[in-house]
Each structure stands twice: as structure tokens, then as C-alpha cells.
Amino acid sequence: MSLEHAILGFLSSQPLSGYDLKKIFDTSVSHFWPADQSQIYRTLGRLVDNGWAEMEVVNQSDRPDRKVYGPTPAGRTELLRWLEAELPLAPTRSPEMIQVFFASRLADDQVLAMFERVAAQMRSGLAAYDAIPQDITAYENYTHSPREFYFWMLTLEIGKMQLRANLDWIENMIQRIRDGEVPQS
Amino acid sequence: MSLEHAILGFLSSQPLSGYDLKKIFDTSVSHFWPADQSQIYRTLGRLVDNGWAEMEVVNQSDRPDRKVYGPTPAGRTELLRWLEAELPLAPTRSPEMIQVFFASRLADDQVLAMFERVAAQMRSGLAAYDAIPQDITAYENYTHSPREFYFWMLTLEIGKMQLRANLDWIENMIQRIRDGEVPQS
DNA sequence: GCTTCTTATAGGACACATCCTATATATTAC
DNA sequence: GTAATATATAGGATGTGTCCTATAAGAAGC
């Protein structure tokens, strides 16, 4: 399971609590693997059950106690195994593509509105990517080596490139509709 | 829910059974919305419960009886509403990106192997797209107008373009690793 | 004659993810 | 003073999708 291994990946750099992990997920991998807080805690429990992680309670006087997790040797081995494993390619589910598929039921101006709506979503997505700092100093709490940081930035790069490609395609489609290239019946 | 509306979309062209729908899904939208047989039957039941579809039993002498479904007026209205609706952008989950994110744990030759493995998967994916006939005569049982067919082919086009873009990016990455551009520590 | 395939429908069990809520304490804002 | 926010963990209910199995009968292969 991917979430298990993503968590193992983070734990392999430093010991972390569920609360820490939620913050880290939201600031790093959420664009290709969002994680629910509740699910993170449950998955941490499962990692311990599997023997892949161990937990230590850290007492705090002014705040609730933390449960800090770290990988066991078996967990580190499992992470490396998974990183090299061939993944059964995950089906991409895109409700927007269903809208495109059945767009023939709509009139051209409605189709145009649909594409422009999606294009606007994508443009704001691109803007969100551009707002992410690309400078290693902004991530000093989370990343521990230039190599780690390099692959992190790669995932941003590919995410941006995919969005860019889709947006280009949609803008091209909008032009095609305006040019009357779409059959009417 | 997307599957409900995809089924409604197909029913809006012609009355269909669950068995028909499974075959149609597998030959048309499965690359962006795969559907389990069991789930199709359950969803058809829900469509009837919602008042969006109605069912008619068609007796057959030599084979099991068919339950053929068609949209109600409310179902047609709902389909059009949904086609124009703004969708809460679905989170893209990509386990491969998790592998990239934590690739710093591997040595360069292992990272290279990982990327080449993914590239090979993508090339066979592209080949699969190319094997799909782009000719309307191949789909006469499923598609009913040039306009319908046009949007169908668009979904293939964008699927192919996305794969192509990802493959280009990965091939570029492979070169970067070979050129020693990736930090070692 | 036996097995397998095709047509046809459907439920049980399970996995994974999301949403909402509960609990507890300290700080900060108005 | 009161409300909201931050730190910290976790369970219940629900939604969505997958896997496996059951049922039933004719057709096709060996």
C-alpha cells in the first residue's frame, strides 16, 4: 500500500509523530498523494502491527504527549524493496474526461464553457505550483540533503509539466470549437 | 458520483443491460474510468432507486433474461446538469511519484532502473493507444453520430498526449541521471 | 462425455479513503 | 471573559471500488 510506504519514507529520515506527518504530507506530497489525518494515525498503527515501525511516547508538560515513530530494520528493508518494485499501474480516474466523453450532449457554447471552466481551474493550479518556493532553504525542517531535495523538486516539476500539457491541449480544443471544427450531429 | 453519470450517459444513447455496459466501459472509457462488473450492477440498482433510470425485463429463450435499463426524464435532466457542473477537482494519486519522491534512498543505477521500468510501461501504454482503431466504422455498435465519436476520440487523444508528455519527461530524466546531474548526497 | 466459454445477474467480504466527531490542554485573539 | 486556534491522538460511519464467489443454461472445444 502506497501510504504505508510514503510514511515509511518520511520516517526513514527522522522520527515523527502522526501530527508531524500530517503537516509534512500537506507541504510536500499532497499534490500526488493527499493523506487524511485520521488515516495517517490508523496507518501508523498498522505499520507497528506489521513490525515495520516502532513507537515511543514522548512526554510533554505543556502539551499532549506525542507518539513518535521510527522505522524498524524490517521497515527500512521493506521501503527499499518497494522503491524498486514494479507497481501495478494505478488506473487514472478522471471525472472531467467523462464530461468530455459525453460532451456531444451539450451545445457548442456549453462545451466551450465547460472547457473554459476546466482551463481556469488548471491556470489556478499552475499559479499554485509557481507559488511554491523552489529554494532549499525554505524546506530546511523537512529535507536533509541536496539529493533528497532534488527528487522532491522533480515531483513538482512533473506535476507542473502535466498541468501545462493539459492546459495547452484544452486551449487548443477551445480554438477548435471556435473554429467550428467539431461535428454538429 | 461519476460512475452513475457515466452510465446515465451511455443509457441516454440506447437502452442497455449491465452486461452490455460492462463491455462498453471496457472498450471506451476504461482508460480514464475503469468499472467493475459488480459495481455496474449495483449502480444500476441505485439509478433506479434515485428515479434516474427504469428497468425492463427482456425474456430470452436460449439465454438468461436481460434487465434492460433506460433513463427517465429526471435522469436525462440530471445528466445534463452534471455535464455542465463544476467538479471538485479529483486528487490525482500516483504511487510512482512516491517512488520518485523517495528515490534519493536508492543509488543512481537503481534510480535509472526504476525510471526505465516506468518508461517501458509507458511505451507499451502508448502502443496500446496506437492499436485502438481511430475509424468510426469500428465503433458502429457503440457510437451514434460523428459528434459523439468526435468527443470519444478526444479522450483518446488527451490520454495519449499525457502519456507522451510523461514519457518525454522520463526520458529527459534518464539522460540527466546519465549525465551525472543528480546530487549524490 | 467432460470441461470451458459465453451470456446474464448479483451478493459477501474487504480495502482504502473521507468526513465528522470526541478528547484534552495551552495559547492567542477580540 | 469568550471564542478561536494550535498541539496531539483516535474512533465511528459512510462512500467507493475491488475481488471472489454463486447461480443458471446453452454453446463450443477436445
Side-chain angles (χ1 to χ4, degrees), chain B residues 122-172:
Chain B
M122 286 180 173
R123 281 190 205 100
S124 70
L126 271 181
Y129 271 117
D130 286 330
I132 297 170
Q134 309 265 312
D135 180 13
I136 194 165
T137 57
Y139 301 96
E140 272 163 352
N141 294 327
Y142 300 139
T143 199
H144 299 90
S145 71
R147 187 172 173 83
E148 224 177 271
F149 185 67
Y150 185 85
F151 285 105
W152 181 342
M153 288 302 112
L154 279 190
T155 63
L156 285 184
E157 212 180 282
I158 194 168
K160 213 164 136 179
M161 182 220 63
Q162 283 174 340
L163 249 189
R164 181 79 259 161
N166 282 332
L167 181 55
D168 287 348
W169 183 87
I170 286 204
E171 282 171 344
N172 176 260

Side-chain angles (χ1 to χ4, degrees), chain A residues 2 6 9-10 12-13 28-29 31-34 79-80 82-87 89-108 110-111 114-115 117 121 145-148 150-152 154-155 157-158 161-162 165-166 169 173 176 181-185, chain B residues 2 6 9-10 12-13 28-29 31-34 79-80 82-87 89-108 110-111 114-115 117 121 145-148 150-152 154-155 157-158 161-162 165-166 169 173 176 181-185:
Chain A
S2 299
F10 285 117
S12 75
S13 293
S28 61
V29 297
H31 60 112
F32 54 84
W33 206 276
L79 174 64
L80 292 176
W82 184 83
L83 285 176
E84 291 191 83
E86 174 147 16
L87 302 179
L89 47 88
T92 44
R93 289 181 184 279
S94 168
E96 291 83 12
M97 280 300 106
I98 301 180
Q99 289 186 327
V100 173
F101 191 90
F102 293 109
S104 59
R105 273 70 171 172
L106 301 175
D108 274 6
Q110 292 172 309
V111 178
M114 186 194 88
F115 280 125
R117 201 193 62 223
Q121 274 188 335
S145 71
R147 186 172 174 82
E148 224 177 89
Y150 185 85
F151 285 105
W152 181 342
L154 278 191
T155 64
E157 211 181 282
I158 194 167
M161 182 222 62
Q162 283 174 341
N166 282 332
W169 182 86
M173 263 314 299
R176 280 201 245 173
E181 285 181 36
V182 180
Q184 289 305 309
S185 58
Chain B
S2 299
F10 286 117
S12 75
S13 294
S28 62
V29 297
H31 59 111
F32 55 84
W33 206 276
L79 175 64
L80 291 177
W82 183 83
L83 284 176
E84 291 191 83
E86 174 147 15
L87 302 179
L89 46 89
T92 43
R93 289 181 183 279
S94 167
E96 292 83 12
M97 280 299 104
I98 301 180
Q99 289 185 327
V100 173
F101 191 91
F102 293 108
S104 60
R105 272 71 171 174
L106 300 175
D108 273 6
Q110 292 172 308
V111 178
M114 187 195 87
F115 279 124
R117 202 193 63 222
Q121 274 189 335
S145 71
R147 187 172 173 83
E148 224 177 271
Y150 185 85
F151 285 105
W152 181 342
L154 279 190
T155 63
E157 212 180 282
I158 194 168
M161 182 220 63
Q162 283 174 340
N166 282 332
W169 183 87
M173 262 315 298
R176 281 201 244 172
E181 286 180 33
V182 179
Q184 290 304 310
S185 58

Side-chain angles (χ1 to χ4, degrees), chain A residues 114-126 167 170:
Chain A
M114 186 194 88
F115 280 125
E116 262 158 3
R117 201 193 62 223
V118 177
Q121 274 188 335
M122 286 179 174
R123 282 191 204 99
S124 70
L126 271 181
L167 181 55
I170 286 204

